[in-house]
Structures are given as C-alpha cells and as structure tokens.
Amino acid sequence: MNYGIIKKIDIADGLGVRVSLFVSGCRNHCKGCHNQITWDFNFGKPFTKETEDEIIEALKPAHIAGLTVLGGEPFEEENQEVLAPFLERVKKEFPNKNIWCYTGYLYDKDLLPQDGRKHTPYTNRMLACINILIDGPYIEKERDLTLNFRGSRNQRIIDLEHNCLLKL
C-alpha cells in the first residue's frame, strides 16, 4: 500500500486534534473529488514499518485525540490488508484514542455483509478498530459546505461503537 501524506496536526477530518493518514488508491472516482491524485494506487510513498512507527510517535502527545484514515480509499482490498494490522496496533497502543475512517463505500451494503462487494478477510478487523465511520460516495449534486466532516448530504457519520448515526 502507498500513502500520499501524513498530517500530524489535523483539525478538519474528525473531532479534536488528530493525526491523519491519506492512503493511495481508489476505484470510486467520484465526480468532483477534491483528492483525485490519490486515486492512483502508486501515488505517494510505500507504507512501511517506519511509516507506522512515525504515526505511532505522532499519536503519543496527550492533545492528540486520535487517528483518521482517509484517501484514496481505505477499504480497497489492497489497502485493507495493510490497514487491518496497523489499526489493531494503534488500538492496542492507544486504547483511549479514537479512530475515524472515511470511505466512499456503504457500511451496511458494501462493507459489513459477508457478500458485500468490499468485504474481505480484513474488513471486520478494520471495522472492529474504527470508532467513527463516514461512509458514502461524494455526490457533487449533494455538496453542502455547511456539513461537518462530510462533503455531500448523502454521506453518513456512523458511531460503530454504539451502532448509531451521529448528527455533528
């Protein structure tokens, strides 16, 4: 897996001050996407053990609320294989910090069901680590600049711990 950027101080992609990892590779190709450069699976740098360690180090300060994973598309099959063990490591080392994840796929249709089009042997492992999932493709016709943490009205903020939708 490749990644495009790591933001060690991010206040736009989740509640609180966060570390954000932008992974590479996305097959959704949403019209109007603000991050089209990350569609290419070869964009950026390889995600290595050193990259993991860099993110772990960035998560250590008390003022960091947690990690956000976005892209690109974290739930592309190739990315899940790498992200599942990494997210498990983050959860183990920082049990009191939360993990947010953005996906253009639908939680209840594409990810959760065993026959979902993006369900892999790694999906449940990832979902078990994620506290907040923002799901749904960006739809340019539904763009709404007044929304928190979303680009279009169809996207949902799902609290996976409590299995409910949030209105932030």
Side-chain angles (χ1 to χ4, degrees), residues 63-79:
H63 70 275
I64 300 294
L67 173 70
T68 298
V69 182
L70 58 172
E73 175 55 60
F75 281 94
E76 295 296 2
E77 296 85 340
E78 301 89 330
N79 295 340

Side-chain angles (χ1 to χ4, degrees), residues 130-149:
I130 295 167
N131 302 90
I132 305 293
L133 182 73
I134 293 84
D135 82 337
Y138 172 74
I139 298 176
E140 198 169 38
K141 291 185 298 189
E142 295 192 37
R143 179 179 180 202
D144 185 343
L145 296 176
T146 68
L147 297 171
N148 290 320
F149 311 119

Side-chain angles (χ1 to χ4, degrees), residues 19-63:
V19 175
S20 293
L21 169 65
F22 290 77
V23 301
S24 297
C26 181
R27 293 182 179 94
N28 284 319
H29 296 188
C30 299
K31 182 180 178 187
C33 173
H34 77 282
N35 211 5
Q36 290 182 15
I37 196 165
T38 64
W39 292 356
D40 181 353
F41 283 86
N42 295 311
F43 172 72
K45 304 174 194 171
F47 188 84
T48 64
K49 173 75 165 76
E50 291 74 27
T51 310
E52 276 194 24
D53 293 343
E54 178 183 352
I55 294 170
I56 294 294
E57 192 62 33
L59 286 166
K60 286 182 178 178
H63 70 275

